[in-house]
């Protein structure tokens, strides 16, 4: 049913776009299959340069140190394996963000509600994200919409050197030709260069829904220039209404950066994540001061 709904979405959006004189809203001719293990595809010119610049503008001044999910507890923690900075946009934050989200759904044939909010990332000289999986090892995060089945990584800027996305376990890593313009990190696997406007789609789960070890990937260190990117993680279930409940009635923070985020106004700027809604519990309720006195911890 979800597949059929996404197909209808794709058909409707394509029709609307052509009526507006925008036949390239979703253009399969721009998509290249890169690998089957993992399943990875590159869309040239997925975003216009104006859209890239707009997403960067939304993020500037709101970036914080990037975190990783702890394999045991599932909580977001700081780690030297990831040295970028980033922030999450709100879903349908404005017309451009909504259009990008619709385009992702049309391309992937995966429902919008299964996706997380877009995360904008910034990598300065030397910053990177070591090899990791986008699927989860802990049950805590798996409860939030299930495993991440697919990732759409959108490149918002060109990088003079470095910053490639590399798949160390990909089947085609030995056959890909690389000249002197590639970094040493990129030579460790099948790699994709960050080109402004391009988007990389890869799947973390196999067709049979088992986790795919060949989806291991990394963001190579930036050697020259800077790198901006936008990531959309898509889950196997609805992420807008996750099966997440407050544990034991306690009101607490689920991220160690909650006090800092609250201090810079994120409770008001990003209330769905920080405070929560009728459908989901917020991650920083304690720092945002929305706990009942009887439930605070």
């Amino acid at each position: 049913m979800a597949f059929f709904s996404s197909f209808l979405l794709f058909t409707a959006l394509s029709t609307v776009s052509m009526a507006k004189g925008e036949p390239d809203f979703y253009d399969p001719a721009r998509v290249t299959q890169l690998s089957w293990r993992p399943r990875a595809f590159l869309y040239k010119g997925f975003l216009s340069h104006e859209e890239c610049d707009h997403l960067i503008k939304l993020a500037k001044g709101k970036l914080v140190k990037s975190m990783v999910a702890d394999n045991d507890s599932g909580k977001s923690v700081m780690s030297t394996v990831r040295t970028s900075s980033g922030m999450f946009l709100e879903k349908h934050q404005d017309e451009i963000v909504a259009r990008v989200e619709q385009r992702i759904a049309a391309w992937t044939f995966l429902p919008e509600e299964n996706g997380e909010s877009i995360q904008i990332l910034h990598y300065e000289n030397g910053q990177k994200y070591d090899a990791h999986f986008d699927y989860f090892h802990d049950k805590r995060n798996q409860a939030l919409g299930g495993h991440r089945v697919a990732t759409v990584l959108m490149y918002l800027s060109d990088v003079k050197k470095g910053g490639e996305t590399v798949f160390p376990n990909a089947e085609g890593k030995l056959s890909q030709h690389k000249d002197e313009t590639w970094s040493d990190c990129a030579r460790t696997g099948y790699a994709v260069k960050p080109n402004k406007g391009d988007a990389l789609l890869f799947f973390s789960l196999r067709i049979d829904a088992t986790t795919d070890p060949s989806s291991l990937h990394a963001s190579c260190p930036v050697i020259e220039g800077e790198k901006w990117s936008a990531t959309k993680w898509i889950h196997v279930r609805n992420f807008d209404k996750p099966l997440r409940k407050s544990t034991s009635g306690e009101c607490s923070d689920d991220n160690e950066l909650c006090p800092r985020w609250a201090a810079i106004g994120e409770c008001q700027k990003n209330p769905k994540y920080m405070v929560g809604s009728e459908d989901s519990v917020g991650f920083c309720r304690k720092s945002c001061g929305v706990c009942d006195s009887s439930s605070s911890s």
Side-chain angles (χ1 to χ4, degrees):
M1 183 62 70
F3 178 88
F4 182 67
S5 299
S6 295
F7 177 76
L8 292 179
L9 172 65
F10 160 70
T11 304
L13 291 175
S14 298
T15 302
V16 171
S17 298
M18 292 182 70
K20 293 182 178 180
E22 300 174 359
D24 61 345
F25 181 88
Y26 170 69
D27 184 0
R30 297 187 186 185
V31 179
T32 302
Q33 175 260 319
L34 302 179
S35 167
W36 287 122
R37 295 183 182 86
R39 289 180 290 146
F41 306 85
L42 183 67
Y43 191 133
K44 300 292 290 184
F46 182 76
L47 300 177
S48 69
H49 282 206
E50 291 75 19
E51 288 172 329
C52 293
D53 295 341
H54 178 75
L55 295 179
I56 293 174
K57 183 178 180 180
L58 291 177
K60 283 187 173 179
K62 302 176 182 178
L63 301 170
V64 296
K65 175 75 170 61
S66 297
M67 312 286 280
V68 299
D70 181 76
N71 286 341
D72 296 322
S73 68
K75 291 188 176 181
S76 296
V77 296
M78 287 189 179
S79 174
T80 57
V81 306
R82 191 183 194 192
T83 55
S84 61
S85 57
M87 57 83 68
F88 282 94
L89 302 177
E90 292 184 27
K91 284 192 173 183
H92 291 199
Q93 181 167 324
D94 60 26
E95 183 179 347
I96 292 177
V97 173
R99 186 167 69 233
V100 171
E101 290 172 334
Q102 291 171 347
R103 195 178 306 156
I104 290 171
W107 179 25
T108 63
F109 283 83
L110 296 170
E112 280 192 63
E113 59 267 24
N114 286 30
E116 297 181 33
S117 299
I118 293 174
Q119 184 182 39
I120 308 297
L121 292 169
H122 182 223
Y123 296 81
E124 297 180 338
N125 187 276
Q127 292 187 329
K128 44 79 178 180
Y129 192 176
D130 290 341
H132 61 283
F133 299 105
D134 279 355
Y135 57 76
F136 298 111
H137 298 278
D138 66 282
K139 293 182 179 180
R140 184 172 183 267
N141 277 301
Q142 290 180 41
L144 304 176
H147 275 308
R148 289 169 175 164
V149 61
T151 299
V152 176
L153 176 56
M154 297 162 279
Y155 301 110
L156 306 182
S157 68
D158 294 318
V159 181
K160 291 183 179 179
K161 191 167 184 179
E164 301 96 340
T165 304
V166 61
F167 296 87
N169 294 345
E171 62 178 358
K173 66 179 182 179
L174 298 179
S175 60
Q176 185 184 28
H177 172 73
K178 298 185 179 74
D179 58 24
E180 68 281 353
T181 63
W182 296 85
S183 70
D184 290 340
C185 166
R187 298 177 188 277
T188 63
Y190 191 96
V192 179
K193 285 186 177 182
N195 291 315
K196 187 173 182 177
D198 290 356
L200 171 65
L201 164 65
F202 62 91
F203 291 83
S204 296
L205 303 185
R206 301 187 183 100
I207 295 295
D208 63 1
T210 58
T211 56
D212 186 358
S214 68
S215 67
L216 183 74
H217 60 284
S219 180
C220 291
V222 172
I223 298 174
E224 187 176 354
E226 61 178 345
K227 175 183 176 181
W228 287 90
S229 63
T231 302
K232 167 70 80 170
W233 288 296
I234 308 171
H235 293 250
V236 298
R237 296 195 305 269
N238 190 322
F239 190 79
D240 288 341
K241 296 182 179 180
L243 304 175
R244 180 174 177 269
K245 302 294 182 182
S246 180
T247 57
S248 66
E250 293 184 349
C251 184
S252 60
D253 291 335
D254 288 343
N255 192 307
E256 63 183 35
L257 286 181
C258 285
R260 177 180 173 186
W261 290 340
I264 61 175
E266 286 300 303
C267 298
Q268 294 74 37
K269 297 175 186 176
N270 193 7
K272 187 170 183 179
Y273 177 88
M274 298 287 287
V275 178
S277 65
E278 294 181 357
D279 300 318
S280 63
V281 179
F283 288 81
C284 298
R285 290 172 57 80
K286 184 178 180 181
S287 289
C288 289
V290 297
C291 301
D292 294 332
S293 58
S294 59
S295 63
S296 300
S297 59

